[in-house]
Amino acid sequence: MYRYGNLYIGTSGAEVLHYVSIPGGDQDEPPELILASRIEPTSKSSQDLQIGVQHIVVLPNAGKALILCNGTLTFHSLPELSPAQNAPRPVTKCLWIGGTDLDEAGSGDEAEDNAMMALRSKMRLLTIGEGVGAKALDYPGCLAGARRGKYACVADSRSYALVDLENSQKIPLFPISSLDDTAISAAERQITRSLVSAQAQSPSKSKYGESATASQGHGRNTSLGALVSGLTNRQAEQRPQGQQRRSGLGTPEARAGAVSPVRSISAAGVRDLRSPSPNRPLPSLPTEASPDRTPVKRAEAKEFLQPHILSLLPTEFLLFTGTSNQEAGVGIFVNLDGDVVRGTLEFSRYPLKVAQDGGEVLDAGHHGVPEQSSDGFILAAVERIAPNEHLRGIEIQRWDVAGAPRTYLELPPPTRSSEIGDLPTIGVTNVKTAGQFHFTEIGKALRFRRLHLSSTGQRAAILGGQQDTIGAERTRNAQENEFGSRLGQAQARILTWYDDKIFWTTRNPILLRIDSLIQQVLDDCKQSRLEQARLIRIIKSLRNHDAQSETEFLSLEYVRQKISIILFADVAVNRDDVDAQLNEQLLMEAGADPRLILSMIPFLHEDIFEGPSGIWVHAGLVDLMHDRLQGIAVTLEPDEVLSRPEDFDVLGLVKRYLSAWRQRKGFGSIPDEAHVFATVDAALLHVLLFQDQQSHLGAGASSTNRAELYSIVDNPMNCFDRAVELLEEYRRLYVLSRLYQSRRMSKEVLDTWRRILEGAPDDGGGFTDGENEVKRYLINRSDRGLVEEYGTWLANRNPQLGVQVFTDDAAKVRIHPVQVVNLLRKDSPHAVKVYLEHLVFGKKNTKYANELIGYYLDSVLSVLSTSEDALHFLSSSYNIYRALPAPKPTYRQFITDAPVRDQWWADRIRLLELLGGSHGTDFTYDVATVLERIQPYGQALVPESIILEGQQGHHTQALRLLTHGLGDYHTAINYCLLGGASIFHPATPGTSTSTTNTTTTTTNSLTLQRVPTHEQQSSLFSSLLPEFLSISDASERFERTSELLARFGPWFDISTVLSQIPDSWAVGLVAPFWASALRKVVAERNETMLVKALNGAQNIMVAAELVEKVERLGPTVVPEMDTPNSGDGGFSGA
């Protein structure tokens, strides 16, 4: 019996050994039990009773202990077991002591306790406090019992009964041995037969609706496995051989001295217990009239079966029955009314001893807080017969779950060999208070240790810098050791004795249970493939398991991570045999550090960031990686066998796993977050690059892969330097530029784009409209240095686009034109002309027109000076234009529409626009210089010569060239109308020229210059008429001259026209002119007469107004002093 650090051991030698628990020397060491005293409760013995100590009952409220030794009950004080004061004398011929009220156990409300004492002829209820009170009950030969309030379930050597202690009433139940037909009366036997046989032969349904028999298939299960701790004596006391073992049901004989520390038995010692067939019923109770009863049956019926009674719930008792110690036993639940409830429990052999674990509220611990255990187990000490040997162990099964499997706890072999007829003593019992001890294996597995990955050591300093990690690692190890020592604390309320040892028996913690199952799977796969389904079932069984403590929480985390790592290693290596249930969700649920997974993939070793402190994971995982998975090497290269979509894709698994991990960014619960996500980002980028490369080399790049790749680089990455290395390695410059953009590294972005445009390999492509992309990017930059540097570079490469960087109105950097011109002259000479065109033609800034003219002249003259074909082309163009039939376009429109794409030709057209004065009168240029430069090519550059003649005032020569050099009669007429200006302006949508018989109007062309007077126009038309009259082609001459006179007759003098028109011309050729001229003369004469008449009438009106005004005012008297000539005798009238 154990109570608050005091262990009381009764021996078959009629001694009680008192051990006291003291703390271990180290935190990892279990408590140590030392021998405090040895007493002999009584020296008397009864030959017909069991020898030695049979029972020790501790009464905590009364502070006493009851010891039944050699059939004598004695009373002692706690904890030293000295004789109790005011105690009655020892009671002899006592069969059994126990039966404390389980409803009041450990309550501490009163300073007394209750117990039950069995004598040969009666049973007594004891009330023990300062004194001892007794109440007699008529129930002789009681050997076992359990009490709940006023009810008790008791048993003698043959049957069970339910007793009402207050009313002294008894309800007979059923015999202990189903072969005993003398234990109860015929009526009682009939009731018993119907109860026991029905329960044994037809498994009843429990309250859970399932069969309560445990004879269904039992697989290997360690969830009920118990870790047993042994207590062995340090000092041995020599006894006669005959006294070393007196009874197979007694307690072990202890040796004097201290007890050794707790010693663990591996959970691997738990093995399957195969039950008999579920269809095999227990033997029926024999009847008196049974004709086949034999003496053998009588002998079996007389075989003694030890009664066992447990009270698992306040309203139920569990009773055991069977046929023989070598046959199966059955546990039957009985309520306080004597009715059978629930289902039955079946044991492989009739139990020698039984104990319960969980399923009820146990008595309070040191702090007075009751402990609640939800799972209920029955532990039965049984004897198993194997070929040539008898074995004894602990059979364990659930009593609160129907159909739960049974497990068998195999105890360590006895230290002393025994014959088959003299088996080691074995037994189990419940104790009042729990024993405290520590599972060191849990702390050793759950504490953190650094995982050294030699292949990734170079990444340690990237994020954290160089530092001395040895001292830091030692400090961390010490902290983890201290933390691990706090884990694995456990309690036990069951003592097991076997041979000369005593063990604490408790449930294995979940970590040891699951770890044992994992190890079984790993051991089984040494000769064959790993059974993934078994591991998956284990990890799925943990999904609904809620942790009740820090140790259990860490244990669940550890086993999930361990299983996920083992599964990934097996799946990644043996890709042709994959369980479909394994996916990234399973890996994510485990929550293992992704660097553990990636360490098994050599392809991604360089992407693992250890950081200055390294990778710290559970020590058990470190051992797993070093001992079992060190040689694992996962390859991601495509496999011909796995080319089908339904085949397993390791690369896809890794990608999805890393993508899921990346979504955890920002979670504060992730240790070493910076290096973990640096690893995740680097590895995911590496996988995406590899996957995109493979698809690019195959049928074509996947748009999904490309989108994922762009997505990861467009968002913040924790591994920037590694990402740059990978992108450079895979020659993905455009993706690299996007990475730089995500970091707002404008210079690096532009530099990368420049590399692409200058021919550096960019395997993935994507930079299709590169120059425009550069332009748009520069327009949105506010760094003037970058704009100047890369704007001039782009202008040098593509002048049209490059100049837009400096001219776009939306640009954030505005540079003065003078500075832009200087920049372009220095770094992009070819773009200067384009920029000047923007200023002159776009912004109408004529300040740079002279310089632009020089560029145009350089372009045109350089071609003409080196190319005879160009000269011939110009000459041919004139001939072709002159040969065009009327109506024909102007020469300006003709050359604009010409299918010539040479740059010098476009420059010539722009040159004509500038020389022709399309930019208004404010624009002037050095005519003499231009004329001097084009003079050697005067025959080839006729339009230019015309414009320059007009600029010098040589209008007659200009009109002559227009008429006879070009044959552009329409432009000649415009020349007269516009005063010799803007005759080669561009025909834009906003410009139109229309001429009528009497007037000519221009829109937007004359707004830039002074409009010539009618006299100036008449003078120019007078110069044009002789040129038209001298056209060599007669029909053309007649048509052009007639049209000129008809349309613009008002600008001509009739006499001049009459003098110039040849006499040979028929009047009809110029009839329109004569008609308009005569109409003009008549109109002018009529107009003159009308004006004269209007003037006469106006004079009369003025005279009449004067007379009226004088008459209205009347005469005025002028004073003499004011009168002129007053000295001459003048006078004035009234």
Side-chain angles (χ1 to χ4, degrees), residues 542-587:
L542 302 176
R543 286 181 176 173
N544 297 325
H545 190 101
D546 296 328
Q548 303 298 325
S549 63
E550 180 184 20
T551 300
E552 193 167 345
F553 176 82
L554 294 175
S555 298
L556 292 173
E557 177 187 74
Y558 166 75
V559 296
R560 288 191 180 105
Q561 293 179 4
K562 185 173 183 178
I563 292 176
S564 67
I565 292 172
I566 295 173
L567 283 174
F568 176 82
D570 182 71
V571 166
V573 174
N574 305 308
R575 291 184 286 180
D576 56 332
D577 182 18
V578 179
D579 194 310
Q581 298 180 73
L582 178 68
N583 50 40
E584 65 277 6
Q585 182 180 0
L586 194 62
L587 292 173

Side-chain angles (χ1 to χ4, degrees), residues 409-554:
L409 178 60
E410 188 175 283
L411 300 177
T415 56
R416 295 170 295 179
S417 62
S418 59
E419 300 295 336
I420 294 179
D422 186 19
L423 295 177
T425 304
I426 185 172
V428 292
T429 186
N430 291 102
V431 297
K432 292 293 184 180
T433 55
Q436 308 291 330
F437 55 94
H438 180 225
F439 287 98
T440 58
E441 298 89 341
I442 295 179
K444 291 179 180 179
L446 296 183
R447 65 187 178 185
F448 275 55
R449 283 292 184 265
R450 181 174 181 178
L451 177 64
H452 293 276
L453 302 175
S454 58
S455 60
T456 59
Q458 64 274 21
R459 296 282 169 205
I462 291 181
L463 296 182
Q466 295 286 352
Q467 67 178 42
D468 181 15
T469 60
I470 298 178
E473 184 174 350
R474 290 175 179 173
T475 303
R476 176 73 181 273
N477 285 337
Q479 295 172 351
E480 291 296 332
N481 290 339
E482 181 181 357
F483 173 75
S485 65
R486 301 198 302 267
L487 304 176
Q489 301 294 333
Q491 294 181 342
R493 293 181 175 273
I494 299 176
L495 282 175
T496 300
W497 62 88
Y498 181 65
D499 194 29
D500 59 348
K501 299 180 179 64
I502 298 178
F503 306 93
W504 280 117
T505 305
T506 186
R507 304 181 197 181
N508 265 345
I510 188 171
L511 184 145
L512 299 182
R513 296 202 311 266
I514 302 301
D515 216 20
S516 176
L517 293 176
I518 297 173
Q519 189 60 43
Q520 290 175 22
V521 177
L522 296 180
D523 292 341
D524 293 344
C525 76
K526 291 181 179 179
Q527 303 299 329
S528 61
R529 297 292 299 276
L530 180 71
E531 296 184 46
Q532 301 171 9
R534 292 170 61 184
L535 293 177
I536 292 175
R537 283 196 298 269
I538 293 173
I539 199 169
K540 285 187 175 181
S541 67
L542 302 176
R543 286 181 176 173
N544 297 325
H545 190 101
D546 296 328
Q548 303 298 325
S549 63
E550 180 184 20
T551 300
E552 193 167 345
F553 176 82
L554 294 175

